[in-house]
């Protein structure tokens, strides 16, 4: 089977799964739909693995393949094709997306077992994976935009999955609106590039960019910044980040899928894919680096004080994506993609472990109510610790090799990149602190009532189902979470999925060890062979190991600080009281929501009200619609008035008409 055929199979298998689940909605039991959806993604992963080996069998110069299904439009300079691009970058993304998504589907098979919308959930989940694969396999801007929009629509459906929960529907709408703003930026940016290169095809555009634009030409920089708007919105970077913590309203598997391997990594992939454009517009690339650096710091500071378990991990995602955006915008492509891969492993694991704890809490996500789960949930605790150590950059876990490699390469570039690397280490310290603050609070200390009940063999269920965000009373019918809760210690599917990710979080970093192996860097070389900076930026192995050592010490310091304050009975309240202004600022998330509400939402709402009450009613309805219709009515009335039916009136009108016509000719003569 050819590599291109395998590429189409990778893409279409999840779509087929989604369609089949939808068509057999009433014909098959719910559990069969779950198995069908999981099998579809698992089969896509098998095809992705075969595609990887097929690509490796080809020479390095033959590892960029384009397969065209048909020409959608090929006229007046527009070359829009339904085509996929298979190269090391897209294959890596396919492996990560399908591999992690398979485990998330397996986890969901057990976790969502009692939900009344079980079938619908797997149909949405399969469609989401298809949309992400369409995005990463697209060979041109046309198909990229389609995949980009599909991902946004699918995320709305999944975040708002519990559609009777008002906070969930509001979160879905918020995510959709912000992502649509990013979509507009992506479309406009693609138009700027098309205007210069006269092509929508990626490879053709890359070949022509040097001839079409001078370095840092205004049109190219503007186009690339607009492309970054799309990347920032999809990857939740400042100031388009406010949708991501609210997206925790979706089921935990959705949080794991969106915030680990798929949606939020799209912006990282976009910058890496379009690297020839950004290298020719270094000013735009610098914007990406700065925003990534700012996001990793801002998100980390909020993570220090958040008390919602899933939102702590969500802000961690924002921060880690900031590292990746900073890396690929700084031409540190291999390290950025390396961290994307390892992050998918340990972040999906952290979300799954959090979901297990939340189930043990009866759906409650408040860290202030959690404690003492370490002994009653040993497997979940072990997985959370493994994920936390990887996130904190502790050797030999995967995050140790990937995150600190980014910072080592940034230091090697020097100048402003050195400053950003130092700030990256500051972010790493906060990351380790808030990660183990979360772990110590949830798993250590005196057992909470929910943990106490679990210790007696009973899984806690709230007397009355409520929304953990606002306390509203709910039921367990369709549109709300189901009546059953599942934890990893008792659900085989959850345990297998989490165990697999735990292994990957431990060994995933071994593919890129300084001085030992550079497998990922070598694998990605055919994609970045046209980059002047890909091979130029390369610190010595000694420098890399020094960077890794510094990162490990900083991570250990953060964990020790968290243990001092939260793990051995430290007085966290006294620290909070001494730093109350800072704490308040961070708790309010740097007041981004309030600023956006004041600067954008309220003016837009006022303009809408003005347009409706004044412009629409007075000008449009009154002057345009009412005025024109009034003039027609007046003219009609005048015509009706002379249609009296009396012959003498018609004769008089005829005489007057001929008299006027005669007078006109006499005067003209």
């Amino acid at each position: 089977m050819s590599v291109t055929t395998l590429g189409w199979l990778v893409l279409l298998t999840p779509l087929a799964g989604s369609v089949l689940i939808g068509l057999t909605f009433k014909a098959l039991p719910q559990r069969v739909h779950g198995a069908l959806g999981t099998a579809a993604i698992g089969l896509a992963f098998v095809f992705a693995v075969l595609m990887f080996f097929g690509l490796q069998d080809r020479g390095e110069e033959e590892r960029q393949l384009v397969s065209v299904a048909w020409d959608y439009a090929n006229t007046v300079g527009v070359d829009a094709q339904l085509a996929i691009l298979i190269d090391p970058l897209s294959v890596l993304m396919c492996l990560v997306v399908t591999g992690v998504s398979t485990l998330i589907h397996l986890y969901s098979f057990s976790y969502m077992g009692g939900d009344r919308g079980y079938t619908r959930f797997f149909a949405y989940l399969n469609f989401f994976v298809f949309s992400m694969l369409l995005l990463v396999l697209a060979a041109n801007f046309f198909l990229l935009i389609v995949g980009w929009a599909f991902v946004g629509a699918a995320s709305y459906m999944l975040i708002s999955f519990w559609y009777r929960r008002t906070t969930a529907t509001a979160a879905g709408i918020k995510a959709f609106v912000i992502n649509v703003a990013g979509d507009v930026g992506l479309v406009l940016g693609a138009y700027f590039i098309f205007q210069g290169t006269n092509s929508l095809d990626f490879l053709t555009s890359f070949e022509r960019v040097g001839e079409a634009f001078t370095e840092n030409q205004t049109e190219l920089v503007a186009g690339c910044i607009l492309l970054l708007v799309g990347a920032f919105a999809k990857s939740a970077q400042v100031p388009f980040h406010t949708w991501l913590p609210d997206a925790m309203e979706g089921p935990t598997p959705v949080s794991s899928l969106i915030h680990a391997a798929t949606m939020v990594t799209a912006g990282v992939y976009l910058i890496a894919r379009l690297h020839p454009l950004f290298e020719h517009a270094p000013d735009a690339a610098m914007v990406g680096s700065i925003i990534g650096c700012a996001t990793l710091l801002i998100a980390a500071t909020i993570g220090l004080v958040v008390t919602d378990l899933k939102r702590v991990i969500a802000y961690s995602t924002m921060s880690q994506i900031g590292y990746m955006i900073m890396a690929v915008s700084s031409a540190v492509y291999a390290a950025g993609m390396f961290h994307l891969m390892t992050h998918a492993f340990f972040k999906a694991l952290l979300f799954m472990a959090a979901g297990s704890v939340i189930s043990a809490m009866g759906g409650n996500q408040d860290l202030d109510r959690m404690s003492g789960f370490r002994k009653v949930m040993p497997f979940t605790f072990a997985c959370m610790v493994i994920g936390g150590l990887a996130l904190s950059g502790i050797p030999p876990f995967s995050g140790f090799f990937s995150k600190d490699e980014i910072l080592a390469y940034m230091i090697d570039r020097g100048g402003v990149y050195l400053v950003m690397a130092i700030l990256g280490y500051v972010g790493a310290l906060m990351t380790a602190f808030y990660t183990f603050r979360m772990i110590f609070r949830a798993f250590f200390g005196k057992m909470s009532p929910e943990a106490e009940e679990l210790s007696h063999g009973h899984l806690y269920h709230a007397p009355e189902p409520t929304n953990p965000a606002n306390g509203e009373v709910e039921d367990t019918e369709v549109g709300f979470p189901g009546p059953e809760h599942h934890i990893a210690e008792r659900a085989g599917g959850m345990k297998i999925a989490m165990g697999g990710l735990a292994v990957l979080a431990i060994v995933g970093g071994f593919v890129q060890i300084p001085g030992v192996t550079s497998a990922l860097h070598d694998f990605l070389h055919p994609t970045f062979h046209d980059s002047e900076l890909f091979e130029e930026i390369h610190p010595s192995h000694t420098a890399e190991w020094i960077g890794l050592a510094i990162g490990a010490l900083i991570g250990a310091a953060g964990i020790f600080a968290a243990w001092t304050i939260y793990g051995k009975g430290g007085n966290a309240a006294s620290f909070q009281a001494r730093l109350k202004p800072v704490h308040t600022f961070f708790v309010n998330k740097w007041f981004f929501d309030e600023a956006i509400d004041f600067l954008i939402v309220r003016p837009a709402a006022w303009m809408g009200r003005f347009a409706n009450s004044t412009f629409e009613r007075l000008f449009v309805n009154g002057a345009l619609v009412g005025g024109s219709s009034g003039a027609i009515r007046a003219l009609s009335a005048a015509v009706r008035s002379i249609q009296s039916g009396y012959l003498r009136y018609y004769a008089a009108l005829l005489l007057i008409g001929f008299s006027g016509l005669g007078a006109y000719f006499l005067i003209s003569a």
Side-chain angles (χ1 to χ4, degrees), residues 73 107 152 164 495 606 645:
Y107 178 91
R164 291 174 59 201
K495 182 173 287 188
W606 179 86

Side-chain angles (χ1 to χ4, degrees), residues 20 63 105 203 219 303 357 385 405 462 466 504 562 577 585 601 633 646 664:
L20 191 57
R63 293 182 188 171
H105 276 70
L203 299 182
E219 292 82 0
V357 174
V385 170
E405 181 170 327
T466 57
L504 290 171
F585 185 66
V601 177
R633 284 194 297 270
Y646 293 107
Y664 170 76

Side-chain angles (χ1 to χ4, degrees), residues 155-187:
S155 69
Y156 166 74
M157 293 188 290
L158 286 168
I159 294 168
S160 303
F161 177 75
W162 287 321
Y163 55 86
R164 291 174 59 201
R165 182 177 273 183
T166 55
T167 52
T169 53
I173 292 170
K174 184 176 184 179
F176 185 76
V177 169
I178 292 176
N179 276 276
V180 166
D183 295 350
V184 172
L186 181 69
V187 172

Side-chain angles (χ1 to χ4, degrees), residues 74 102 127 228 288 348-349 395 447 480 519 549 580 604 645 659:
N74 197 352
T102 298
F127 178 70
L228 285 175
L349 176 63
M447 284 190 184
F480 280 131
K580 188 172 183 180
S659 299

Side-chain angles (χ1 to χ4, degrees), residues 4 55 58-67 84-90 203 206-207 273 275 524-530:
T4 53
L55 195 67
R58 306 173 69 90
E60 187 169 308
E61 67 284 353
E62 298 175 345
R63 293 182 188 171
Q64 283 187 321
L65 308 175
V66 176
S67 176
I84 60 173
L85 169 61
I86 299 174
D87 71 345
L89 180 60
S90 61
L203 299 182
F206 299 162
E207 290 174 359
R273 169 60 69 201
H275 67 274
L524 290 172
H525 184 266
T527 295
F528 299 104
H529 72 279
D530 54 355

Side-chain angles (χ1 to χ4, degrees), residues 211-348:
E211 300 173 0
F213 303 101
T214 60
E215 185 173 294
N216 271 334
Q217 186 173 324
T218 303
E219 292 82 0
L220 178 60
V221 172
C224 288
I225 289 177
L226 287 167
L227 293 172
L228 285 175
V229 169
F232 294 159
K234 199 69 78 185
S235 293
Q237 299 294 284
V238 172
F240 300 96
H241 66 286
T242 56
W243 67 268
L244 189 140
D246 291 352
M248 298 299 101
E249 290 292 335
T252 296
V254 173
S255 303
S256 184
L257 184 68
I258 290 177
H259 301 129
T262 56
M263 183 172 174
V264 292
T265 63
V268 181
Y269 166 79
L270 179 71
I271 299 172
R273 169 60 69 201
L274 304 181
H275 67 274
L277 305 180
F278 286 98
E279 287 192 15
H280 207 62
D283 286 354
M286 180 59 70
V287 171
S289 299
I290 293 172
I291 293 296
C293 184
T295 301
L296 74 88
L297 288 171
I298 290 171
T301 59
I302 300 172
L304 295 172
V305 297
V306 173
T307 57
D308 182 297
L309 178 59
K310 282 173 65 176
R311 279 175 167 78
V312 174
I313 306 174
Y315 280 110
S316 164
T317 298
M318 271 180 55
S319 183
Q320 297 306 302
I321 297 292
Y323 281 98
M324 301 174 210
I325 293 286
M326 181 176 72
V328 293
S329 297
S330 305
V332 185
Y333 305 119
M337 299 307 298
F338 182 28
H339 194 50
L340 182 151
M341 180 189 76
T342 61
H343 176 265
F345 302 151
F346 61 72
K347 189 54 61 68

